[in-house]
Amino acid sequence: MKKLCAATLSLFFLFGTFFLIGALPANSAEPVPVILTERPHMGLDGTFYDDQLATLLLPSQRLGQLVFTPSRVNKVWYIDAALLDQVAAMADGYSVRVAGKSDELVPGTGMNVATSWLSALKQVTRINPVLALPYGSPATNWLQRVAPNELKFYEANSQLKVGFYVGKYVDVVPTFPGAKAPRIPGETQDTYNFIRKNLKGYLKVVDIQDTDPYRLGIGQLVNPALSRDDSIRLSRVFLKDFQALNKRLRIVVGKYTITSEREKIPMTIVNGFNKDVTVSVVVSPLNGKVTVSPIRDVTIPAQSKLIVPIHLHVIASGNSTLLVQLKSSDKTPVGNSVSLPLRLSVISPIATWITTISAIVLLLAGVTQSVRRVKKKKHE
C-alpha cells in the first residue's frame, strides 16, 4: 500500500512538473536575435532611387514578416536607424527617381505600409530588449582604423533615433551578430573618404539638418552586407548627390580681359541654404603676372546671391588664372574651388618707361644724324 501511494505521488509530481513547464511563458528560453537592417534605397538628398523597400515591408515579405507576424519567442532586436529613417521618409510621402532618368520623379507606393510597419514595430518590441546598430550598419573594424570619430557619431545618432522610433531607451552595440570583416571596394572607400573630408567645411558654416543626412548616410556605403556591385553602384549615387550639395553654395565667375593696371572684377557667390552663410574668400593667383588684395569675410543671406569684387593689380601682360576657394573661419575649405581665367592686356609702368626712353633715344639719334648731314653739306 505504501509503495502504491509513493508511486501515485511520484506520478502526480511528474505530471505536475510537466504542467508547470508547459505553463511557463515561451519567452523564458534563450532570446533569438532579430536583425532589422537593409541596404539603402534612398539617396543622400532624401529621394528614393527605387521602390523595392515598399515591397519588403509587406506582411508577406522579409521585413514585414519580422514585424507583423506574432510570436511568443523571446527576442532581442538589433535595429539599424538608417532603415527606420527610410521607412519614416516613406510614411511622410516620398518620390522615386525613374530608372535611367534621374531628373524625373514619380510618387512612391509604400506610404501606408510604411506607416503600419513603424506602428507594428513599436508594439512588437515593447517587451523585448532592443539594441541599436551603428547608423547604416557599417564595417566597424574598417571605421575604427579610418574614421573612429565617425563611428562614434553613427553609434550615438542611431541610439537616439532607434529609441525615438520604438518609444523607449535602447543600448548600442558595435555590430550585429556574425558580421564578418568585409572587403570594401577601392572605389567605395575613395567615395566615402572624399565625401567625409569635403563635408568638414559645411559642418562649420551651415545647419546640421543640412549636413547630417550626408554625414550619417555615407556610413551605409561600408555596410558589410552589400555586394561589391551594390557597393560601387551606391557610391556613385551618393557621389552625385554630394555634388548637388556643392551646387547649393557655389561661386560663379566669368572670363575677363583686363586693360588697366588696377581693375575690379565681380564674382558672384550663390547660397541655396535656408540660413545665412559666412565664409572667407581666398583668391590665389597661379602666376606672378597679377596680385590680388585680400577679401574680408562675407555673409551671403539665405536663398540669395552676393556679388563680391576682386581687386587686381596687373604686373605684366599675358594670361593668368585666379583660384577662388570659400573657407570657414578656421580655414577649412567649403565646397569646390573655381578657376577664374584672365587675359591681361596692360602695358605696365616699367614697360612704358622703357618704351618712352627708347623713343627718346631714337629721336635724339635721328636729330644727331640730321645735324651731321647738314654740317657735312656746308663743308662741301
Side-chain angles (χ1 to χ4, degrees):
M1 185 68 179
K2 289 182 180 180
K3 291 183 179 181
L4 181 61
C5 289
T8 303
L9 287 173
S10 298
L11 189 61
F12 177 79
F13 176 77
L14 183 61
F15 276 107
T17 302
F18 282 134
F19 175 79
L20 288 173
I21 292 174
L24 289 174
N27 61 6
S28 63
E30 187 71 21
V32 175
V34 180
I35 301 171
L36 281 183
T37 185
E38 171 61 11
R39 70 170 179 83
H41 298 270
M42 182 176 70
L44 298 177
D45 62 353
T47 303
F48 284 73
Y49 55 85
D50 65 49
D51 208 12
Q52 296 176 14
L53 187 54
T55 301
L56 293 174
L57 296 177
L58 293 172
S60 60
Q61 300 301 313
R62 177 172 61 85
L63 294 176
Q65 288 177 347
L66 295 175
V67 169
F68 290 119
T69 304
S71 172
R72 297 180 64 203
V73 175
N74 189 24
K75 300 176 181 178
V76 56
W77 296 80
Y78 294 81
I79 302 179
D80 180 1
L83 168 61
L84 305 189
D85 274 351
Q86 290 187 83
V87 179
M90 294 171 63
D92 287 339
Y94 65 106
S95 299
V96 181
R97 297 172 185 168
V98 177
K101 301 178 181 178
S102 59
D103 294 333
E104 187 175 341
L105 303 176
V106 296
T109 62
M111 181 176 178
N112 292 334
V113 69
T115 302
S116 300
W117 191 89
L118 286 174
S119 179
L121 175 67
K122 191 171 184 178
Q123 290 298 319
V124 78
T125 57
R126 183 171 51 86
I127 61 173
N128 295 139
V130 175
L131 300 172
L133 295 165
Y135 197 95
S137 301
T140 55
N141 57 339
W142 185 79
L143 282 174
Q144 284 168 348
R145 291 188 295 102
V146 176
N149 289 334
E150 294 306 291
L151 177 57
K152 294 177 182 178
F153 181 75
Y154 301 150
E155 291 175 342
N157 276 269
S158 193
Q159 184 178 20
L160 290 173
K161 286 173 174 285
V162 172
F164 169 78
Y165 284 117
V166 301
K168 64 180 182 181
Y169 174 82
V170 303
D171 284 321
V172 66
V173 291
T175 187
F176 51 81
K180 297 180 180 179
R183 293 183 179 179
I184 303 169
E187 181 176 339
T188 302
Q189 294 183 41
D190 292 343
T191 299
Y192 177 88
N193 288 323
F194 174 82
I195 296 177
R196 178 175 62 86
K197 291 177 181 177
N198 283 273
L199 265 177
K200 291 180 179 179
Y202 286 106
L203 297 176
K204 301 175 186 296
V205 299
V206 302
D207 287 337
I208 58 172
Q209 58 260 34
D210 291 312
T211 57
D212 272 4
Y214 294 83
R215 189 180 178 189
L216 284 171
I218 60 172
Q220 301 171 97
L221 283 176
V222 290
N223 185 330
L226 288 175
S227 68
R228 177 181 175 82
D229 289 344
D230 283 343
S231 177
I232 293 175
R233 189 181 305 113
L234 185 65
S235 72
R236 293 173 182 176
V237 170
F238 280 12
L239 186 59
K240 187 175 181 180
D241 290 344
F242 182 71
Q243 297 299 350
L245 176 72
N246 279 330
K247 292 181 180 179
R248 296 178 66 183
L249 184 64
R250 65 187 187 275
I251 304 166
V252 180
V253 296
K255 295 181 179 180
Y256 298 97
T257 298
I258 310 301
T259 57
S260 58
E261 179 189 353
R262 296 187 180 275
E263 190 68 80
K264 181 174 65 176
I265 61 175
M267 170 186 63
T268 302
I269 304 176
V270 179
N271 176 16
F273 292 99
N274 295 319
K275 173 192 174 182
D276 295 355
V277 173
T278 299
V279 291
S280 299
V281 183
V282 179
V283 183
S284 306
L286 297 187
N287 60 29
K289 294 183 178 181
V290 64
T291 62
V292 179
S293 300
I295 301 175
R296 293 182 178 179
D297 291 359
V298 297
T299 298
I300 310 97
Q303 296 293 336
S304 66
K305 302 176 181 179
L306 180 69
I307 297 177
V308 178
I310 301 176
H311 296 269
L312 304 175
H313 180 201
V314 178
I315 306 300
S317 294
N319 294 322
S320 186
T321 300
L322 303 180
L323 187 66
V324 186
Q325 175 70 67
L326 303 181
K327 294 189 176 183
S328 63
S329 58
D330 65 352
K331 305 306 178 184
T332 303
V334 180
N336 294 327
S337 61
V338 173
S339 296
L340 194 164
L342 299 175
R343 185 170 178 269
L344 309 172
S345 298
V346 178
I347 300 177
S348 68
I350 295 175
T352 301
W353 276 106
I354 292 173
T355 303
T356 303
I357 291 172
S358 298
I360 293 172
V361 170
L362 289 172
L363 179 61
L364 291 175
V367 171
T368 302
Q369 185 68 21
S370 298
V371 170
R372 287 176 179 174
R373 287 176 182 174
V374 171
K375 288 182 176 181
K376 185 177 181 181
K377 285 182 180 180
K378 286 182 178 181
H379 288 301
E380 290 177 353

